[in-house]
Amino acid sequence: MTGHRPASRAHAQRGSLAVTQAAMLCVALLLAGVVVVQAAALLHAARVAGAAADGAALAAVTATQPGATTTPTAAAGTIARAHGADLVACECGGPRSHVRVSLPVESRLLAALGITTVRAEADAALVEAPGPAPTVPPDWDLHPTAGAPDLWFTR
Amino acid sequence: MALPVVALCALGVLQLLGVARDALLAQDLARLGARTAATTPSDAAVRSAVAEAAGPDLRPEVRVTPASRGRGSTVTVTVTVRRPGGVFDVALTGRAVAHGEPQLDEADP
């Protein structure tokens, strides 16, 4: 029986090592999962912020047209808020609208460091077209039309 | 013992990435739907545009609110996608809001 003791101790040590390794693996997997979920949430928030910025810029440009019932800044703010974002800046009112929105995202990963909210920001700029969109590529056999604005070309 | 666990973990991460991709896709489809809804009074046109962009594998559910809209009003498009066959069978929702454009008053519903 005495001859079995060292083998038994080694077996127990191997078992303990395996349990430790399994525990470390579980912790690593858990951390990896949290990181993936958080990264996906941030990516999604960035995409939502982009949609909010685009929509807000479009609303601002639309609100500059005759017959609009609201101001460009108010229209942009409405669309940003509807996406859950804040309108940080709005250079609106002219033919060019530039908006910046900021979307708060709950941070689970950095909560331990005291950072509970991360913000995804997005910019969008739009210029109101003076007329119908050109139907030919701008670099294809084009010549400026006399008297027309520089932007517009005909074949 | 470690190898199967690592393989299972890799499979899980791949599935999670697929879910993340579908979530982004749902958001993009909602954005496209909102853009269409801002210029077209017909909900069928919104559904058609979203379905065409989603492709044959996804069958997105599209909800447009309010049902009738006009220039200056706010329209919300919610798109829900569900990809069958994965380990995680989750419904992913994207939502986008747009401002009704002048074309809405000019077009016939």
Side-chain angles (χ1 to χ4, degrees):
Chain A
M1 292 296 286
T2 53
H4 288 178
R5 277 182 189 162
S8 175
R9 196 177 297 130
H11 185 72
Q13 281 175 349
R14 276 202 300 274
S16 170
L17 196 64
V19 168
T20 308
Q21 282 177 339
M24 284 173 66
L25 196 61
C26 284
V27 170
L29 292 183
L30 194 66
L31 276 177
V34 171
V35 168
V36 168
V37 168
Q38 186 71 67
L42 287 175
L43 207 58
H44 187 252
R47 197 62 71 97
V48 173
D54 280 357
L58 201 56
V61 165
T62 306
T64 61
Q65 294 174 357
T69 54
T70 180
T71 64
T73 306
T78 302
I79 298 301
R81 276 193 302 279
H83 284 91
D86 303 319
L87 186 67
V88 176
C90 182
E91 295 166 20
C92 311
R96 182 181 186 278
S97 288
H98 178 207
V99 301
R100 171 173 286 182
V101 302
S102 174
L103 181 76
V105 192
E106 187 187 350
S107 162
R108 296 179 187 86
L109 186 61
L110 301 174
L113 302 175
I115 303 171
T116 54
T117 306
V118 179
R119 300 191 83 87
E121 292 203 342
D123 281 273
L126 275 182
V127 179
E128 185 182 1
T135 54
V136 288
D139 57 350
W140 182 55
D141 190 21
L142 301 175
H143 307 285
T145 306
D150 289 343
L151 267 176
W152 302 100
F153 299 89
T154 57
R155 289 185 64 186
Chain B
M1 177 204 165
L3 200 60
V5 174
V6 168
L8 206 62
C9 171
L11 195 67
V13 168
L14 281 178
Q15 287 287 330
L16 272 179
L17 288 176
V19 170
R21 176 192 173 277
D22 285 353
L24 296 182
L25 189 64
Q27 181 58 40
D28 282 350
L29 291 175
R31 190 175 180 171
L32 170 73
R35 182 73 189 101
T36 309
T39 53
T40 334
S42 155
D43 287 1
V46 177
R47 291 196 173 85
S48 169
V50 170
E52 190 180 338
D57 292 341
L58 290 178
R59 276 169 292 177
E61 293 169 23
V62 183
R63 197 154 49 91
V64 185
T65 49
S68 65
R69 50 192 175 274
R71 178 182 186 178
S73 65
T74 302
V75 58
T76 303
V77 175
T78 309
V79 175
T80 304
V81 297
R82 190 187 294 270
R83 185 184 292 274
V87 174
F88 306 112
D89 183 19
V90 288
L92 298 157
T93 300
R95 182 175 154 278
V97 185
H99 202 244
E101 295 192 17
Q103 293 96 313
L104 281 179
D105 290 344
E106 296 162 8
D108 291 327

